[in-house]
Amino acid sequence: MSNTMSLQHLLNINSLSAECILDIFARAQSIIDIGAHKKQIKNTLAEKTIALLFFENSTRTRISFELAAKRLGATVLNVDIQSSALSKGETVLDMLVNLQAMFCQMFVVRHRDNNFADNLAKELMVNLDNNAAAEKSATIINAGSGTAAHPSQALLDGLTILQEKKDFRALKIAIVGDIVHSRVAASQLALFAKLEVAEVRIIAPEMFLPRRVENKRVSVYNDLQTGLNEVDVVIALRAQKERWASASLDDATYIKQYCLTKQSLASARDDVIVLHPGPINRGIEIASDLADGKHSRIIQQVSNGVAVRMALLEMLAERSH
Ligand code: CP
């Protein structure tokens, strides 16, 4: 199988070529086709030790990276940040260098700081250059950084769309909700630009929209019904209240205008699919019957997450040899 992954780290979507993104989809799909995402029938990472460092809560991303690594035969460390020596003043870089000295090669990191993964990758490279005893390879995988990037989520969303719709360049995709605070939306917009999606619509009240939209294929809507007209894919986002600085929005007003319901999908294409990265807030950004209904691919996204993360781990490990 081809490997166009030329990167040491996975920090964002922008650093991946369209060809590499399609290779990740193809590898993830072949993992699904042989059932290797469900049980360990591959052993390609048997010599690797992978540490998960989550400074923010997670269900899907942390567990699917853990399962992905285990289903490739890797040793996995689920680092408990609360009980680590960080509380004694150790820096994260020193912690990573110590984990590396115990032959851990890959680090999956989530943090509220937008630049956390990027800075760690840079600092780690300097440290490796200066330290003769260190192994000369270490891989940082961004599992969510502030409002900036969540690349593996966008990739699993892309695979889910590809399984249903085949040609990105013919699609109209709507993203609804708290766009400006969403690292998922930031990575999805980067992914859809790389894949030349025909039209991306972002639909939200003014307070959830970015100040500027520079991509000519992205259009902005305040009205849900108008924005959903003839779309092939709708992605609902959670209101990221933990990232709001001062803004506030009354739940009842938001639900009335932006909660996705079966009725609000009436103007979309008949075969529209509905995605959500999770966690979902039922009755706020998406109605329960829509989340659980025939248009929803939310659970399919979660299953695809294991396969996409297996593909990513394999491709990054091959690159580091
Ligand atoms: N989609 C997502 O990142 O979910 P978690 O926060 O549960 O990882």
Side-chain angles (χ1 to χ4, degrees):
M1 177 156 293
S2 69
N3 188 354
T4 50
M5 180 78 80
S6 59
L7 303 165
Q8 174 129 20
H9 309 289
L10 176 69
L11 302 176
N12 54 53
I13 292 292
N14 286 329
S15 53
L16 302 175
S17 66
E19 188 188 10
C20 179
I21 291 167
L22 294 174
D23 268 358
I24 294 165
F25 293 162
R27 188 180 290 233
Q29 189 58 55
S30 71
I31 285 167
I32 292 168
D33 291 344
I34 61 169
H37 62 316
K38 295 183 186 168
K39 59 182 179 183
Q40 197 201 326
I41 55 179
K42 295 186 89 173
N43 218 21
T44 43
L45 263 61
E47 292 176 12
K48 296 288 180 192
T49 300
I50 301 174
L52 310 179
L53 296 101
F54 278 65
F55 294 82
E56 273 191 351
N57 292 347
S58 168
T59 299
R60 283 144 291 272
T61 312
R62 184 179 59 76
I63 292 170
S64 64
F65 265 116
E66 180 169 355
L67 288 172
K70 285 179 172 168
R71 285 173 186 163
L72 294 169
T75 300
V76 183
L77 298 175
N78 226 318
V79 179
D80 179 5
I81 300 297
Q82 298 299 327
S83 66
S84 74
L86 290 172
S87 62
K88 301 176 191 169
E90 184 171 47
T91 66
V92 177
L93 180 61
D94 279 333
M95 179 161 83
L96 256 62
V97 169
N98 279 268
L99 288 172
Q100 226 192 346
M102 293 182 261
F103 311 103
C104 183
Q105 300 93 2
M106 302 175 96
F107 302 94
V108 180
V109 299
R110 170 175 284 193
H111 200 278
R112 70 193 308 274
D113 176 357
N114 282 6
N115 300 312
F116 184 80
D118 301 59
N119 288 343
L120 211 49
K122 279 185 213 140
E123 288 168 7
L124 203 56
M125 294 321 291
V126 172
N127 187 282
L128 292 180
D129 283 344
N130 294 340
N131 187 347
E135 235 187 287
K136 294 293 177 198
S137 73
T139 294
I140 303 289
I141 299 165
N142 184 359
S145 49
T147 58
H150 193 350
S152 64
Q153 176 69 47
L155 289 164
L156 74 88
D157 298 335
L159 176 65
T160 308
I161 294 169
L162 183 63
Q163 288 170 338
E164 302 283 337
K165 299 292 177 189
K166 313 304 171 206
D167 182 8
F168 285 100
R169 284 175 295 191
L171 294 181
K172 288 190 181 83
I173 300 178
I175 307 175
V176 185
D178 187 1
I179 318 279
V180 76
H181 299 106
S182 171
R183 55 191 173 213
V184 174
S187 286
Q188 287 169 338
L189 288 168
L191 185 94
F192 297 153
K194 292 267 178 183
L195 298 174
E196 300 178 9
V197 168
E199 187 182 346
V200 180
R201 300 177 184 174
I202 53 178
I203 308 172
E206 285 300 326
M207 62 177 280
F208 288 162
L209 289 169
R211 284 213 188 108
R212 278 186 309 169
V213 176
E214 280 158 8
N215 186 328
K216 63 181 186 321
R217 288 202 177 108
V218 177
S219 45
V220 175
Y221 292 79
N222 294 126
D223 180 65
L224 183 63
Q225 290 293 340
T226 316
L228 294 181
N229 192 35
E230 288 295 308
V231 296
D232 303 277
V233 179
V234 184
I235 302 170
L237 297 175
R238 182 177 63 86
Q240 318 269 307
K241 289 185 179 175
E242 71 276 23
R243 297 186 214 294
W244 293 359
S246 56
S248 64
L249 183 68
D250 166 44
D251 275 357
T253 308
Y254 184 79
I255 292 164
K256 192 163 168 230
Q257 294 180 7
Y258 295 100
C259 180
L260 282 174
T261 61
K262 284 184 178 171
Q263 292 72 31
S264 62
L265 281 192
S267 63
R269 288 180 59 91
D270 289 344
D271 61 352
V272 65
I273 58 168
V274 176
L275 274 57
H276 190 308
I280 63 175
N281 289 158
R282 290 172 182 267
I284 303 217
E285 70 270 8
I286 188 164
S288 251
D289 60 351
L290 184 60
D292 302 329
K294 67 175 184 182
H295 295 287
S296 174
R297 298 294 180 275
I298 296 172
I299 295 303
Q300 186 175 328
Q301 285 173 270
V302 179
S303 294
N304 284 337
V306 178
V308 163
R309 288 166 177 133
M310 288 173 75
L312 283 171
L313 292 174
E314 272 194 342
M315 291 167 79
L316 287 162
E318 287 164 12
R319 156 65 181 80
S320 69
H321 274 312

